[in-house]
Each structure stands twice: as structure tokens, then as C-alpha cells.
Amino acid sequence: KGQYAMNYDLGYSFYRDKQIDIALEDGGSAIQRLRIQDDAQHSFTNTFDVSYGLKDNISLTMSLPLVYKIDTAGGKDAVGLGDVSFGLRWQPIPLKRGLPTTTFYSSLSTATGDSPYEINSASDLATGKGYYSLSAGVSVSKVTDPIVLFGSAGLTVGNNMGGLNQRQGSRILTSFSPGQTLSTSFGFAYSLNYDVSISASYQQSISTNARYTFSDAGETTSFSSATQLSSVLNYTLSLRTSPTRVVNVSVGFGLSEDTP
């Protein structure tokens, strides 16, 4: 209770994809437009996390991300504020020897970053996801010295976005409804000595179908995207540089097409 903690994270990710943009003539099968859009995005994220102990077992958190993106294929870049989030962590059962530690968490992610559904996609890049989302879940850890086992599961839901007016080719995007995301993770940490430890973890998230509504020449059409699977294998080296400071160096490998 009454204690503050701060965490700074500098992250880099790279994502590359190719998409086919094709248009057929009305009522026929003749191709009017065929082009391949190459997407190669480098993302640098500076994130400041602050937590405050409201009680001995309840913590309030805030996350402030600053984002820099470069699209080397399209010659675009963006610098700006990402999506600020606020959270709460609650540990209902005090830590006891031999028992796992259970923590419930919830967080609200705002839409302070540039929305991908409101920018000019031909010349700009988004720094946020474009909608508010609410997450809740539980994490569990178990210490069997010198190893710590951990895992978590959570669900994220987002709000529908209406009143949009973004041109995508010959159509206008008018509304967007994000799907739900179920995320899980598990792994272990191993202490080599008092100052050095290593850890490995697996993270997976499944996002259900998002729904898009377009206006095309006065006609309204809707379609749902395919379910997306994102999975990452992470390795981390942790170095304790002082009694109050730990430096983590992490690398993650994407295991699916939807993962950086």
C-alpha cells in the first residue's frame, strides 16, 4: 500500500504482408484492376508504465505508449501517442508457502492514438487501434525454487465504431465492429543466481470475426473478416543491476501469419 513502481519498455517489431487488390466488372468476370500491395512496417514503441499500491493487494496502473512507425514499402512514417490504458490488479488470497499466487486483472484501453479507420491510408500510418476496449482475466504463478511457473488467460471486447468516412479504393468505410479476443500464455523463469535469470513463454490470441460496413455507389455492403490467430514464442534475459532495478532483454518469434 502507498508504493509506486515504474517500468519503461522499448520495443521493436516488424511485420510484412502482401495483399491482392482486385476489381471485377459489374455482372461479369473481366478484371478491371489487379495489383499487389506490399506492406512492410517497422514499429518502435516507447512505453511508460506506472503502478500504485492502493491497498496491499490492489494496484492501479497506467500505460503511456509513444509510437514511431515506418512503412518502407509505401514510403510512409508516423510519430505520435499510442492508446493510453488504465488498469487494476487484485490479489484476493495472500501469498502462502506451497500455494500458487493468483491475480485478477482488468484494463481499459483508450483510443488516443491515430485510428486506422480515420486516416488517409494512402499517405498516413496509424499509431492506435481506433476503438476503446475492455480486458479482464486471471494470472497464476507457482514458485518451485529456483523455477517459477506462470500462466494467464483473458478476454478482450471492443466497442463498435460508426460514422466513419474512410475511402478504401472505390468504397467508403462507414462502420466497424471489432471481434472478441481470447488470449492465453504460459511459461517458466529459471534463476541462474541472485542477479541473473532466464525465462521462456508462449503467448497466443484468437480474434473472432470483425465486421466492416461499406458504402459503394449508394449501396451498403458488409463482410466479416476471417478469424485471426496470433502466437509468439518469447525468450527473456533478466539482469538485476541494483536492489531496485531489473533490466530485461527479450526476443519474440512469430509463429503464425498474423504475428509480427
Side-chain angles (χ1 to χ4, degrees):
K1 179 178 179 180
Q3 297 296 311
Y4 285 92
M6 188 184 77
N7 181 73
Y8 169 71
D9 182 78
L10 172 62
Y12 164 76
S13 65
F14 174 68
Y15 180 80
R16 183 156 193 163
D17 191 23
K18 292 182 181 291
Q19 296 181 350
I20 298 178
D21 181 15
I22 187 171
L24 304 178
E25 67 175 358
D26 295 338
S29 59
I31 297 177
Q32 294 181 332
R33 182 181 70 250
L34 176 62
R35 60 186 178 186
I36 297 178
Q37 296 177 333
D38 196 3
D39 186 11
Q41 289 192 11
H42 303 262
S43 298
F44 300 86
T45 306
N46 297 269
T47 305
F48 298 88
D49 296 314
V50 178
S51 64
Y52 171 72
L54 187 64
K55 292 186 177 181
D56 289 339
N57 63 341
I58 297 178
S59 296
L60 303 178
T61 63
M62 185 184 73
S63 179
L64 177 69
L66 304 175
V67 180
Y68 175 44
K69 281 187 174 182
I70 308 174
D71 185 349
T72 54
K76 300 177 289 185
D77 64 353
V79 179
L81 180 66
D83 293 334
V84 178
S85 63
F86 304 90
L88 182 146
R89 295 197 303 266
W90 174 46
Q91 183 180 328
I93 302 175
L95 178 61
K96 295 182 179 180
R97 182 180 296 273
L99 296 179
T101 301
T102 302
T103 303
F104 294 91
Y105 66 87
S106 64
S107 64
L108 172 66
S109 177
T110 65
T112 52
D114 295 332
S115 171
Y117 311 108
E118 295 179 351
I119 62 172
N120 182 353
S121 57
S123 59
D124 301 324
L125 293 174
T127 60
K129 62 185 181 306
Y131 57 88
Y132 285 79
S133 63
L134 183 64
S135 302
V138 60
S139 62
V140 178
S141 63
K142 178 70 167 63
V143 178
T144 56
D145 200 25
I147 295 177
V148 178
L149 305 174
F150 55 86
S152 67
L155 179 66
T156 302
V157 296
N159 70 304
N160 299 335
M161 298 294 296
L164 302 178
N165 187 29
Q166 184 187 57
R167 177 168 293 278
Q168 296 188 4
S170 61
R171 304 176 298 178
I172 302 295
L173 178 65
T174 58
S175 66
F176 166 72
S177 176
Q180 299 178 347
T181 300
L182 176 64
S183 58
T184 58
S185 67
F186 59 88
F188 72 93
Y190 180 74
S191 178
L192 299 178
N193 54 41
Y194 287 107
D195 297 322
V196 181
S197 63
I198 57 176
S199 63
S201 64
Y202 173 76
Q203 295 175 296
Q204 177 177 289
S205 63
I206 301 175
S207 300
T208 58
N209 312 73
R211 189 168 184 83
Y212 302 82
T213 302
F214 293 92
S215 176
D216 188 0
E219 296 184 1
T220 300
T221 58
S222 298
F223 80 93
S224 298
S225 63
T227 298
Q228 290 188 326
L229 172 64
S230 175
S231 56
V232 183
L233 186 62
N234 295 297
Y235 297 97
T236 302
L237 173 66
S238 299
L239 306 173
R240 181 176 294 277
T241 58
S242 77
T244 59
R245 184 184 302 111
V246 175
V247 178
N248 299 305
V249 181
S250 303
V251 61
F253 298 92
L255 304 180
S256 68
E257 292 185 354
D258 301 322
T259 311

